[in-house]
Amino acid sequence: MRSESQRSRIQTFHVMDVWKAATERQRTHGDVLSLAAGQPSTPAPAPVLRATHRALDDELLGYTETFGILPLRAAIAGYHRDRYGIDADADDVVVTTGSSGAFTLLFLAAFDVGDTVVVARPGYPAYRNTLAALGCTVVELDCGPHTRYQPTVEMLEALDGPIAGLVVASPANPTGTMIEPAELAALARWCDDHGALLISDEIYHGIEFGTHGAPATSCAWETSREAVVIGSVSKYFSMTGWRLGWMLVPEGLRPPLQRLASNMTVCPPTISQYAAVDAFGAEARAELDGHVARYAANRELLLRGLPELGITELAPADGAFYVYADIGHLLPAGENSTRWCARLLQETGVALAPGVDFDTVHGDRTVRLSFAGSTADVRAALERLRAWLPTP
């Protein structure tokens, strides 16, 4: 029997284990309140659902162009022009099978085995794990409260040796923090000057709260057309399972992406492409902004309620739908965040994501709480936590 490959021996995505345990708890007890899922709790917007029915009736739904149908690429380009005032057209857009597919294709197209790519810690684990599976050397920058959990030019300057790429996310998973527009511009210029590819993960754009001290959202292409911008209909657009993402790509990377994507995926899901065109219209956006208003209310509940429970070390949560919290002071001797979250689920039915996915050094003392669900569930989860935790 053939053994597994070396490249497959990467870390698992631990939050999926939480989802599995929560599903079993729901089956046996029917009482789960999940603050673990990194996805909206709402369906796709009504115009998207109507477009899906039209596509089923009217379209062949066979293969499409590898980079996606022209109406969708044009809609995505228009979205970026309207939101950021950048010069973008359909030829700049590469549609992919989710943003996960975008990252895999891009890493293959831009980096060779042994190339050094820099990511932030804490950060989304699939950056690190996918790069590692492809043979890249991953350097993690320790980004804590002193830099709002985001990388800086000063950190890059302190690195030993050249780098091939830098991955940033704003708003970020798991912290929800955002990069100041001036700092994102400085990172883009640094990468251009040092021959490094800036990859800007902007899949949570549209979910920002505009609170005092929070940066404004900016797009990497406002500074550099040599950067790659990653987008997705998953988060703001409430379409995670439709598996549709996109990239804004400089011209030089389009031929290798075409060669790779045509061989590896042929094209993104066709029905999702036809449906997603209507996600960018005014009716859909009004519905989606209503979800963001609910996220804002849920965010306020957690930012007020967690400190009352003695959980006071929280990332700023500028955008996305997460609160990232340090619970080290609540851990009994010999327990880490993974075991603490498992015990919390077993004893209360509340599901949280342990920080080990997001931080390879300090994650054993942190958790991520998603507030993408209903306000009633967030409020009820806080009450169960209040009853379960020791009095602060």
Side-chain angles (χ1 to χ4, degrees):
M1 179 176 176
R2 179 110 183 132
S3 61
E4 64 184 18
S5 69
Q6 288 291 330
R7 64 168 51 91
S8 72
R9 295 175 185 174
I10 55 174
Q11 288 293 313
T12 188
F13 200 171
H14 292 92
V15 74
M16 304 309 295
D17 296 333
V18 175
W19 285 14
K20 181 179 179 181
T23 299
E24 178 62 15
R25 169 82 186 199
Q26 182 66 14
R27 186 186 70 80
T28 58
H29 290 71
D31 65 347
V32 169
L33 297 172
S34 181
L35 276 65
Q39 66 175 350
S41 57
T42 45
V48 170
L49 299 179
R50 293 197 298 268
T52 306
H53 289 286
R54 289 198 305 271
L56 286 169
D57 291 336
D58 300 339
E59 301 294 342
L60 175 64
L61 301 181
Y63 297 137
T64 72
E65 295 177 60
T66 295
F67 283 174
I69 60 173
L70 179 58
L72 178 58
R73 289 186 286 118
I76 292 168
Y79 165 76
H80 284 278
R81 286 196 306 271
D82 295 343
R83 184 176 174 94
Y84 306 106
I86 62 175
D87 179 17
D89 62 33
D91 288 340
D92 298 317
V93 178
V94 174
V95 182
T96 59
T97 306
S99 61
S100 299
F103 282 111
T104 301
L105 287 170
L106 180 61
F107 293 162
L108 282 167
F111 305 131
D112 286 314
V113 172
D115 278 353
T116 297
V117 182
V118 176
V119 301
R121 188 184 69 240
Y124 183 53
Y127 308 148
R128 177 183 71 244
N129 293 336
T130 303
L131 286 163
L134 296 177
C136 293
T137 299
V138 181
V139 172
E140 297 181 305
L141 299 178
D142 190 4
C143 301
H146 58 295
T147 64
R148 293 177 58 83
Y149 298 89
Q150 292 284 0
T152 65
V153 168
E154 289 73 23
M155 290 178 176
L156 297 177
E157 292 284 2
L159 294 174
D160 293 328
I163 67 169
L166 167 68
V167 183
V168 299
S170 176
N173 177 10
T175 60
T177 59
M178 290 161 56
I179 303 176
E180 293 278 358
E183 187 65 37
L184 181 59
L187 290 167
R189 287 192 295 268
W190 188 96
C191 286
D192 285 353
D193 291 344
H194 290 79
L197 178 66
L198 174 64
I199 302 168
S200 181
D201 183 346
E202 302 180 5
I203 69 170
Y204 288 96
H205 278 210
I207 310 176
E208 307 103 20
F209 304 107
T211 52
H212 179 68
T217 306
S218 60
C219 174
W221 264 30
E222 292 176 70
T223 300
S224 173
R225 296 285 294 245
E226 295 304 309
V228 174
V229 172
I230 306 289
S232 170
V233 298
S234 288
K235 307 302 182 177
Y236 169 74
F237 294 94
S238 195
M239 296 172 63
T240 52
W242 298 67
R243 307 314 302 134
L244 208 65
W246 70 82
M247 297 182 273
L248 299 183
V249 180
E251 190 171 356
L253 279 172
R254 294 171 201 169
L257 285 168
Q258 171 73 33
R259 293 192 297 270
L260 288 163
S262 62
N263 278 284
M264 297 179 70
T265 60
V266 180
C267 67
T270 302
I271 192 167
S272 299
Q273 292 187 62
Y274 281 102
V277 173
D278 285 37
F280 298 92
E283 182 185 352
R285 298 287 294 279
E287 180 179 338
L288 296 168
D289 287 343
H291 300 334
V292 177
R294 173 170 47 83
Y295 302 153
N298 293 351
R299 172 185 178 274
E300 287 301 315
L301 276 175
L302 287 177
L303 294 183
R304 288 198 309 268
L306 291 172
E308 293 173 359
L309 304 181
I311 302 173
T312 58
E313 293 188 41
L314 310 174
D318 305 321
F321 33 61
Y322 307 115
V323 171
Y324 194 61
D326 190 317
I327 56 153
H329 59 295
L330 300 175
L331 298 175
E335 189 167 79
N336 59 22
S337 62
T338 301
R339 289 192 288 271
W340 188 87
C341 286
R343 187 161 56 87
L344 174 67
L345 177 62
Q346 181 181 28
E347 296 176 10
T348 73
V350 174
L352 307 182
V356 291
D357 269 332
F358 312 105
D359 192 324
T360 57
V361 176
H362 308 295
D364 58 354
R365 56 177 294 126
T366 59
V367 296
R368 188 194 71 179
L369 301 90
S370 169
F371 49 83
S374 72
T375 300
D377 280 358
V378 172
R379 186 176 288 114
L382 279 170
E383 289 307 310
R384 290 191 197 176
L385 278 168
R386 188 184 308 277
W388 185 72
L389 290 172
T391 302

